[in-house]
PDB file of all heavy atoms in Angstrom:
ATOM      1  N   TYR A  36      -2.950   9.428  -4.519  1.00 89.00           N
ATOM      2  CA  TYR A  36      -2.622   9.268  -5.933  1.00 89.00           C
ATOM      3  C   TYR A  36      -1.115   9.443  -6.145  1.00 89.00           C
ATOM      4  O   TYR A  36      -0.453  10.128  -5.362  1.00 89.00           O
ATOM      5  CB  TYR A  36      -3.409  10.282  -6.772  1.00 89.00           C
ATOM      6  CG  TYR A  36      -4.901  10.038  -6.693  1.00 89.00           C
ATOM      7  CD1 TYR A  36      -5.703  10.782  -5.839  1.00 89.00           C
ATOM      8  CD2 TYR A  36      -5.494   9.028  -7.449  1.00 89.00           C
ATOM      9  CE1 TYR A  36      -7.068  10.538  -5.752  1.00 89.00           C
ATOM     10  CE2 TYR A  36      -6.852   8.782  -7.371  1.00 89.00           C
ATOM     11  CZ  TYR A  36      -7.633   9.530  -6.520  1.00 89.00           C
ATOM     12  OH  TYR A  36      -8.974   9.276  -6.423  1.00 89.00           O
ATOM     13  N   ILE A  59     -10.746  -0.730  12.087  1.00 96.00           N
ATOM     14  CA  ILE A  59     -11.317   0.298  12.977  1.00 96.00           C
ATOM     15  C   ILE A  59     -12.805   0.523  12.694  1.00 96.00           C
ATOM     16  O   ILE A  59     -13.474   1.240  13.431  1.00 96.00           O
ATOM     17  CB  ILE A  59     -10.553   1.636  12.870  1.00 96.00           C
ATOM     18  CG1 ILE A  59     -10.623   2.206  11.456  1.00 96.00           C
ATOM     19  CG2 ILE A  59      -9.108   1.470  13.315  1.00 96.00           C
ATOM     20  CD1 ILE A  59     -10.120   3.643  11.360  1.00 96.00           C
ATOM     21  N   GLY A  60     -13.313  -0.087  11.619  1.00 97.00           N
ATOM     22  CA  GLY A  60     -14.737   0.024  11.319  1.00 97.00           C
ATOM     23  C   GLY A  60     -15.115  -0.995  10.278  1.00 97.00           C
ATOM     24  O   GLY A  60     -14.260  -1.442   9.501  1.00 97.00           O
ATOM     25  N   PHE A  61     -16.379  -1.382  10.252  1.00 97.00           N
ATOM     26  CA  PHE A  61     -16.818  -2.313   9.207  1.00 97.00           C
ATOM     27  C   PHE A  61     -18.317  -2.236   9.019  1.00 97.00           C
ATOM     28  O   PHE A  61     -19.044  -1.760   9.893  1.00 97.00           O
ATOM     29  CB  PHE A  61     -16.401  -3.753   9.526  1.00 97.00           C
ATOM     30  CG  PHE A  61     -17.101  -4.351  10.717  1.00 97.00           C
ATOM     31  CD1 PHE A  61     -18.302  -5.020  10.570  1.00 97.00           C
ATOM     32  CD2 PHE A  61     -16.559  -4.236  11.978  1.00 97.00           C
ATOM     33  CE1 PHE A  61     -18.950  -5.562  11.671  1.00 97.00           C
ATOM     34  CE2 PHE A  61     -17.187  -4.783  13.089  1.00 97.00           C
ATOM     35  CZ  PHE A  61     -18.392  -5.448  12.938  1.00 97.00           C
ATOM     36  N   THR A  62     -18.761  -2.681   7.854  1.00 98.00           N
ATOM     37  CA  THR A  62     -20.185  -2.816   7.585  1.00 98.00           C
ATOM     38  C   THR A  62     -20.416  -4.090   6.786  1.00 98.00           C
ATOM     39  O   THR A  62     -19.551  -4.494   5.997  1.00 98.00           O
ATOM     40  CB  THR A  62     -20.735  -1.586   6.838  1.00 98.00           C
ATOM     41  OG1 THR A  62     -22.140  -1.756   6.626  1.00 98.00           O
ATOM     42  CG2 THR A  62     -20.057  -1.377   5.491  1.00 98.00           C
ATOM     43  N   LYS A  63     -21.539  -4.709   7.036  1.00 98.00           N
ATOM     44  CA  LYS A  63     -21.930  -5.911   6.287  1.00 98.00           C
ATOM     45  C   LYS A  63     -22.938  -5.473   5.231  1.00 98.00           C
ATOM     46  O   LYS A  63     -24.042  -5.022   5.570  1.00 98.00           O
ATOM     47  CB  LYS A  63     -22.563  -6.920   7.251  1.00 98.00           C
ATOM     48  CG  LYS A  63     -22.964  -8.237   6.629  1.00 98.00           C
ATOM     49  CD  LYS A  63     -23.566  -9.118   7.736  1.00 98.00           C
ATOM     50  CE  LYS A  63     -23.981 -10.470   7.206  1.00 98.00           C
ATOM     51  NZ  LYS A  63     -24.565 -11.292   8.312  1.00 98.00           N
ATOM     52  N   CYS A  65     -25.587  -5.963   2.367  1.00 97.00           N
ATOM     53  CA  CYS A  65     -26.555  -7.019   2.071  1.00 97.00           C
ATOM     54  C   CYS A  65     -27.244  -6.858   0.730  1.00 97.00           C
ATOM     55  O   CYS A  65     -28.085  -7.688   0.371  1.00 97.00           O
ATOM     56  CB  CYS A  65     -27.605  -7.080   3.179  1.00 97.00           C
ATOM     57  SG  CYS A  65     -26.897  -7.436   4.793  1.00 97.00           S
ATOM     58  N   SER A  68     -24.760  -5.284  -6.126  1.00 91.00           N
ATOM     59  CA  SER A  68     -24.617  -4.238  -7.131  1.00 91.00           C
ATOM     60  C   SER A  68     -23.645  -4.759  -8.180  1.00 91.00           C
ATOM     61  O   SER A  68     -23.035  -5.822  -8.000  1.00 91.00           O
ATOM     62  CB  SER A  68     -24.115  -2.928  -6.501  1.00 91.00           C
ATOM     63  OG  SER A  68     -22.871  -3.125  -5.878  1.00 91.00           O
ATOM     64  N   SER A  69     -23.491  -4.035  -9.255  1.00 88.00           N
ATOM     65  CA  SER A  69     -22.600  -4.467 -10.325  1.00 88.00           C
ATOM     66  C   SER A  69     -21.172  -4.598  -9.795  1.00 88.00           C
ATOM     67  O   SER A  69     -20.627  -3.665  -9.207  1.00 88.00           O
ATOM     68  CB  SER A  69     -22.641  -3.433 -11.459  1.00 88.00           C
ATOM     69  OG  SER A  69     -21.753  -3.811 -12.479  1.00 88.00           O
ATOM     70  N   TYR A  76     -21.398  -9.278   1.934  1.00 97.00           N
ATOM     71  CA  TYR A  76     -19.942  -9.154   2.037  1.00 97.00           C
ATOM     72  C   TYR A  76     -19.629  -8.050   3.036  1.00 97.00           C
ATOM     73  O   TYR A  76     -20.525  -7.286   3.422  1.00 97.00           O
ATOM     74  CB  TYR A  76     -19.300  -8.867   0.672  1.00 97.00           C
ATOM     75  CG  TYR A  76     -19.695  -7.566   0.026  1.00 97.00           C
ATOM     76  CD1 TYR A  76     -19.021  -6.374   0.280  1.00 97.00           C
ATOM     77  CD2 TYR A  76     -20.756  -7.522  -0.881  1.00 97.00           C
ATOM     78  CE1 TYR A  76     -19.394  -5.191  -0.326  1.00 97.00           C
ATOM     79  CE2 TYR A  76     -21.140  -6.337  -1.491  1.00 97.00           C
ATOM     80  CZ  TYR A  76     -20.457  -5.179  -1.215  1.00 97.00           C
ATOM     81  OH  TYR A  76     -20.829  -3.988  -1.811  1.00 97.00           O
ATOM     82  N   LEU A  80     -12.942  -0.755   7.195  1.00 97.00           N
ATOM     83  CA  LEU A  80     -12.099   0.445   7.238  1.00 97.00           C
ATOM     84  C   LEU A  80     -10.925   0.075   8.131  1.00 97.00           C
ATOM     85  O   LEU A  80     -11.118  -0.269   9.308  1.00 97.00           O
ATOM     86  CB  LEU A  80     -12.872   1.628   7.820  1.00 97.00           C
ATOM     87  CG  LEU A  80     -12.091   2.948   7.930  1.00 97.00           C
ATOM     88  CD1 LEU A  80     -11.686   3.471   6.561  1.00 97.00           C
ATOM     89  CD2 LEU A  80     -12.924   3.999   8.662  1.00 97.00           C
ATOM     90  N   LYS A  88      -5.239   5.127   6.214  1.00 92.00           N
ATOM     91  CA  LYS A  88      -6.532   4.434   6.236  1.00 92.00           C
ATOM     92  C   LYS A  88      -6.833   3.930   4.845  1.00 92.00           C
ATOM     93  O   LYS A  88      -6.525   4.597   3.845  1.00 92.00           O
ATOM     94  CB  LYS A  88      -7.646   5.386   6.673  1.00 92.00           C
ATOM     95  CG  LYS A  88      -7.654   5.709   8.153  1.00 92.00           C
ATOM     96  CD  LYS A  88      -8.787   6.680   8.442  1.00 92.00           C
ATOM     97  CE  LYS A  88      -8.724   7.149   9.886  1.00 92.00           C
ATOM     98  NZ  LYS A  88      -9.445   8.405  10.081  1.00 92.00           N
ATOM     99  N   LEU A  90      -9.647   0.841   2.616  1.00 95.00           N
ATOM    100  CA  LEU A  90     -10.814  -0.036   2.697  1.00 95.00           C
ATOM    101  C   LEU A  90     -10.464  -1.409   2.164  1.00 95.00           C
ATOM    102  O   LEU A  90      -9.578  -1.554   1.309  1.00 95.00           O
ATOM    103  CB  LEU A  90     -11.963   0.554   1.867  1.00 95.00           C
ATOM    104  CG  LEU A  90     -12.514   1.885   2.376  1.00 95.00           C
ATOM    105  CD1 LEU A  90     -13.335   2.555   1.288  1.00 95.00           C
ATOM    106  CD2 LEU A  90     -13.350   1.682   3.630  1.00 95.00           C
ATOM    107  N   LEU A  99     -13.713  -5.519  15.274  1.00 95.00           N
ATOM    108  CA  LEU A  99     -12.935  -4.307  15.520  1.00 95.00           C
ATOM    109  C   LEU A  99     -11.656  -4.680  16.255  1.00 95.00           C
ATOM    110  O   LEU A  99     -11.670  -5.496  17.170  1.00 95.00           O
ATOM    111  CB  LEU A  99     -13.748  -3.314  16.366  1.00 95.00           C
ATOM    112  CG  LEU A  99     -14.963  -2.677  15.678  1.00 95.00           C
ATOM    113  CD1 LEU A  99     -15.743  -1.814  16.672  1.00 95.00           C
ATOM    114  CD2 LEU A  99     -14.544  -1.844  14.480  1.00 95.00           C
ATOM    115  N   VAL A 113      -5.815  -1.167  -2.363  1.00 43.00           N
ATOM    116  CA  VAL A 113      -6.003   0.095  -3.082  1.00 43.00           C
ATOM    117  C   VAL A 113      -5.024   1.102  -2.506  1.00 43.00           C
ATOM    118  O   VAL A 113      -4.455   0.875  -1.450  1.00 43.00           O
ATOM    119  CB  VAL A 113      -7.441   0.627  -2.914  1.00 43.00           C
ATOM    120  CG1 VAL A 113      -8.418  -0.318  -3.533  1.00 43.00           C
ATOM    121  CG2 VAL A 113      -7.747   0.846  -1.437  1.00 43.00           C
ATOM    122  N   VAL A 116      -4.012   6.063   2.131  1.00 40.00           N
ATOM    123  CA  VAL A 116      -4.064   7.501   2.334  1.00 40.00           C
ATOM    124  C   VAL A 116      -3.525   7.813   3.717  1.00 40.00           C
ATOM    125  O   VAL A 116      -3.885   7.158   4.688  1.00 40.00           O
ATOM    126  CB  VAL A 116      -5.510   7.998   2.218  1.00 40.00           C
ATOM    127  CG1 VAL A 116      -5.581   9.472   2.570  1.00 40.00           C
ATOM    128  CG2 VAL A 116      -6.025   7.761   0.820  1.00 40.00           C
TER     129      VAL A 116
ATOM    130  N   GLU B 412     -25.206   1.670  -8.872  1.00 89.00           N
ATOM    131  CA  GLU B 412     -23.918   1.949  -9.496  1.00 89.00           C
ATOM    132  C   GLU B 412     -23.785   3.440  -9.815  1.00 89.00           C
ATOM    133  O   GLU B 412     -22.708   4.026  -9.669  1.00 89.00           O
ATOM    134  CB  GLU B 412     -23.752   1.142 -10.793  1.00 89.00           C
ATOM    135  CG  GLU B 412     -23.652  -0.354 -10.590  1.00 89.00           C
ATOM    136  CD  GLU B 412     -24.965  -1.019 -10.260  1.00 89.00           C
ATOM    137  OE1 GLU B 412     -26.018  -0.523 -10.709  1.00 89.00           O
ATOM    138  OE2 GLU B 412     -24.962  -2.033  -9.544  1.00 89.00           O
ATOM    139  N   ASP B 419     -15.368   8.178  -4.229  1.00 92.00           N
ATOM    140  CA  ASP B 419     -14.086   8.031  -4.925  1.00 92.00           C
ATOM    141  C   ASP B 419     -14.020   6.642  -5.573  1.00 92.00           C
ATOM    142  O   ASP B 419     -14.129   5.623  -4.892  1.00 92.00           O
ATOM    143  CB  ASP B 419     -12.963   8.201  -3.904  1.00 92.00           C
ATOM    144  CG  ASP B 419     -11.578   8.248  -4.543  1.00 92.00           C
ATOM    145  OD1 ASP B 419     -11.253   7.320  -5.318  1.00 92.00           O
ATOM    146  OD2 ASP B 419     -10.824   9.189  -4.248  1.00 92.00           O
ATOM    147  N   ALA B 422     -10.671   4.586  -4.331  1.00 89.00           N
ATOM    148  CA  ALA B 422     -10.581   4.285  -2.901  1.00 89.00           C
ATOM    149  C   ALA B 422     -11.828   3.575  -2.387  1.00 89.00           C
ATOM    150  O   ALA B 422     -11.734   2.724  -1.507  1.00 89.00           O
ATOM    151  CB  ALA B 422     -10.361   5.577  -2.110  1.00 89.00           C
ATOM    152  N   ASP B 423     -12.991   3.904  -2.934  1.00 91.00           N
ATOM    153  CA  ASP B 423     -14.251   3.427  -2.355  1.00 91.00           C
ATOM    154  C   ASP B 423     -14.987   2.421  -3.233  1.00 91.00           C
ATOM    155  O   ASP B 423     -15.239   1.283  -2.827  1.00 91.00           O
ATOM    156  CB  ASP B 423     -15.190   4.621  -2.094  1.00 91.00           C
ATOM    157  CG  ASP B 423     -14.560   5.680  -1.211  1.00 91.00           C
ATOM    158  OD1 ASP B 423     -13.659   5.334  -0.412  1.00 91.00           O
ATOM    159  OD2 ASP B 423     -14.953   6.847  -1.313  1.00 91.00           O
ATOM    160  N   ASN B 426     -13.831  -1.116  -3.844  1.00 92.00           N
ATOM    161  CA  ASN B 426     -13.802  -1.965  -2.646  1.00 92.00           C
ATOM    162  C   ASN B 426     -15.200  -2.295  -2.154  1.00 92.00           C
ATOM    163  O   ASN B 426     -15.375  -2.642  -0.983  1.00 92.00           O
ATOM    164  CB  ASN B 426     -12.999  -1.284  -1.545  1.00 92.00           C
ATOM    165  CG  ASN B 426     -11.502  -1.404  -1.808  1.00 92.00           C
ATOM    166  OD1 ASN B 426     -10.943  -2.472  -1.689  1.00 92.00           O
ATOM    167  ND2 ASN B 426     -10.890  -0.300  -2.211  1.00 92.00           N
ATOM    168  N   GLY B 427     -16.186  -2.175  -3.049  1.00 93.00           N
ATOM    169  CA  GLY B 427     -17.545  -2.583  -2.704  1.00 93.00           C
ATOM    170  C   GLY B 427     -18.278  -1.611  -1.805  1.00 93.00           C
ATOM    171  O   GLY B 427     -19.328  -1.952  -1.255  1.00 93.00           O
ATOM    172  N   ALA B 435     -23.069   3.761   6.573  1.00 98.00           N
ATOM    173  CA  ALA B 435     -23.096   2.694   7.579  1.00 98.00           C
ATOM    174  C   ALA B 435     -21.817   2.724   8.413  1.00 98.00           C
ATOM    175  O   ALA B 435     -21.849   2.553   9.635  1.00 98.00           O
ATOM    176  CB  ALA B 435     -23.256   1.344   6.895  1.00 98.00           C
ATOM    177  N   GLN B 439     -21.723   3.370  12.389  1.00 97.00           N
ATOM    178  CA  GLN B 439     -21.059   2.481  13.351  1.00 97.00           C
ATOM    179  C   GLN B 439     -20.118   3.280  14.255  1.00 97.00           C
ATOM    180  O   GLN B 439     -20.098   3.086  15.480  1.00 97.00           O
ATOM    181  CB  GLN B 439     -20.277   1.393  12.617  1.00 97.00           C
ATOM    182  CG  GLN B 439     -19.662   0.385  13.572  1.00 97.00           C
ATOM    183  CD  GLN B 439     -18.534  -0.397  12.936  1.00 97.00           C
ATOM    184  OE1 GLN B 439     -17.653   0.163  12.292  1.00 97.00           O
ATOM    185  NE2 GLN B 439     -18.587  -1.706  13.109  1.00 97.00           N
ATOM    186  N   GLN B 440     -19.332   4.167  13.638  1.00 97.00           N
ATOM    187  CA  GLN B 440     -18.388   4.963  14.420  1.00 97.00           C
ATOM    188  C   GLN B 440     -19.123   5.878  15.404  1.00 97.00           C
ATOM    189  O   GLN B 440     -18.731   6.024  16.561  1.00 97.00           O
ATOM    190  CB  GLN B 440     -17.518   5.813  13.486  1.00 97.00           C
ATOM    191  CG  GLN B 440     -16.665   5.016  12.521  1.00 97.00           C
ATOM    192  CD  GLN B 440     -15.465   4.362  13.185  1.00 97.00           C
ATOM    193  OE1 GLN B 440     -14.729   5.008  13.910  1.00 97.00           O
ATOM    194  NE2 GLN B 440     -15.281   3.078  12.944  1.00 97.00           N
ATOM    195  N   GLN B 443     -20.813   3.993  18.282  1.00 96.00           N
ATOM    196  CA  GLN B 443     -19.795   3.502  19.210  1.00 96.00           C
ATOM    197  C   GLN B 443     -19.236   4.652  20.058  1.00 96.00           C
ATOM    198  O   GLN B 443     -19.100   4.526  21.278  1.00 96.00           O
ATOM    199  CB  GLN B 443     -18.680   2.854  18.399  1.00 96.00           C
ATOM    200  CG  GLN B 443     -17.578   2.213  19.207  1.00 96.00           C
ATOM    201  CD  GLN B 443     -16.576   1.538  18.277  1.00 96.00           C
ATOM    202  OE1 GLN B 443     -16.840   0.488  17.707  1.00 96.00           O
ATOM    203  NE2 GLN B 443     -15.425   2.154  18.108  1.00 96.00           N
ATOM    204  N   ILE B 487     -29.750  -3.066   4.977  1.00 98.00           N
ATOM    205  CA  ILE B 487     -29.127  -2.714   3.692  1.00 98.00           C
ATOM    206  C   ILE B 487     -27.617  -2.861   3.831  1.00 98.00           C
ATOM    207  O   ILE B 487     -26.963  -3.554   3.052  1.00 98.00           O
ATOM    208  CB  ILE B 487     -29.488  -1.272   3.278  1.00 98.00           C
ATOM    209  CG1 ILE B 487     -31.005  -1.132   3.121  1.00 98.00           C
ATOM    210  CG2 ILE B 487     -28.753  -0.880   1.997  1.00 98.00           C
ATOM    211  CD1 ILE B 487     -31.608  -1.969   2.019  1.00 98.00           C
ATOM    212  N   SER B 488     -27.063  -2.163   4.806  1.00 98.00           N
ATOM    213  CA  SER B 488     -25.633  -2.232   5.107  1.00 98.00           C
ATOM    214  C   SER B 488     -25.529  -1.932   6.601  1.00 98.00           C
ATOM    215  O   SER B 488     -25.802  -0.808   7.017  1.00 98.00           O
ATOM    216  CB  SER B 488     -24.875  -1.209   4.253  1.00 98.00           C
ATOM    217  OG  SER B 488     -23.483  -1.324   4.444  1.00 98.00           O
ATOM    218  N   SER B 489     -25.172  -2.941   7.367  1.00 97.00           N
ATOM    219  CA  SER B 489     -25.259  -2.810   8.822  1.00 97.00           C
ATOM    220  C   SER B 489     -24.440  -1.623   9.336  1.00 97.00           C
ATOM    221  O   SER B 489     -23.352  -1.374   8.826  1.00 97.00           O
ATOM    222  CB  SER B 489     -24.746  -4.097   9.481  1.00 97.00           C
ATOM    223  OG  SER B 489     -23.356  -4.255   9.221  1.00 97.00           O
ATOM    224  N   GLN B 534      -9.822   9.394   3.774  1.00 92.00           N
ATOM    225  CA  GLN B 534      -9.042  10.630   3.846  1.00 92.00           C
ATOM    226  C   GLN B 534      -9.554  11.573   4.927  1.00 92.00           C
ATOM    227  O   GLN B 534      -9.304  12.776   4.877  1.00 92.00           O
ATOM    228  CB  GLN B 534      -9.041  11.321   2.476  1.00 92.00           C
ATOM    229  CG  GLN B 534      -8.419  10.433   1.406  1.00 92.00           C
ATOM    230  CD  GLN B 534      -8.395  11.090   0.035  1.00 92.00           C
ATOM    231  OE1 GLN B 534      -8.075  12.250  -0.099  1.00 92.00           O
ATOM    232  NE2 GLN B 534      -8.728  10.328  -0.990  1.00 92.00           N
ATOM    233  N   ARG B 535     -10.273  11.023   5.876  1.00 92.00           N
ATOM    234  CA  ARG B 535     -10.850  11.835   6.944  1.00 92.00           C
ATOM    235  C   ARG B 535     -10.211  11.496   8.284  1.00 92.00           C
ATOM    236  O   ARG B 535     -10.045  10.322   8.626  1.00 92.00           O
ATOM    237  CB  ARG B 535     -12.351  11.580   7.064  1.00 92.00           C
ATOM    238  CG  ARG B 535     -13.128  11.884   5.815  1.00 92.00           C
ATOM    239  CD  ARG B 535     -13.309  13.394   5.632  1.00 92.00           C
ATOM    240  NE  ARG B 535     -13.977  13.667   4.371  1.00 92.00           N
ATOM    241  CZ  ARG B 535     -15.279  13.498   4.191  1.00 92.00           C
ATOM    242  NH1 ARG B 535     -16.036  13.090   5.177  1.00 92.00           N
ATOM    243  NH2 ARG B 535     -15.817  13.750   3.019  1.00 92.00           N
ATOM    244  N   LEU B 538     -14.684  10.450  11.487  1.00 95.00           N
ATOM    245  CA  LEU B 538     -15.818   9.880  10.758  1.00 95.00           C
ATOM    246  C   LEU B 538     -17.142  10.273  11.389  1.00 95.00           C
ATOM    247  O   LEU B 538     -18.204   9.855  10.935  1.00 95.00           O
ATOM    248  CB  LEU B 538     -15.720   8.347  10.709  1.00 95.00           C
ATOM    249  CG  LEU B 538     -15.023   7.758   9.484  1.00 95.00           C
ATOM    250  CD1 LEU B 538     -13.580   8.157   9.416  1.00 95.00           C
ATOM    251  CD2 LEU B 538     -15.180   6.258   9.451  1.00 95.00           C
TER     252      LEU B 538
END
Side-chain angles (χ1 to χ4, degrees):
Chain A
Y36 296 99
I59 61 169
F61 68 89
T62 181
K63 182 180 181 180
C65 300
S68 59
S69 178
Y76 63 88
L80 179 64
K88 286 179 187 159
L90 295 164
L99 291 175
V113 296
V116 174
Chain B
E412 293 75 30
D419 187 307
D423 304 334
N426 283 289
Q439 184 199 47
Q440 298 285 311
Q443 184 177 286
I487 299 296
S488 185
S489 66
Q534 300 180 43
R535 301 284 176 77
L538 267 64

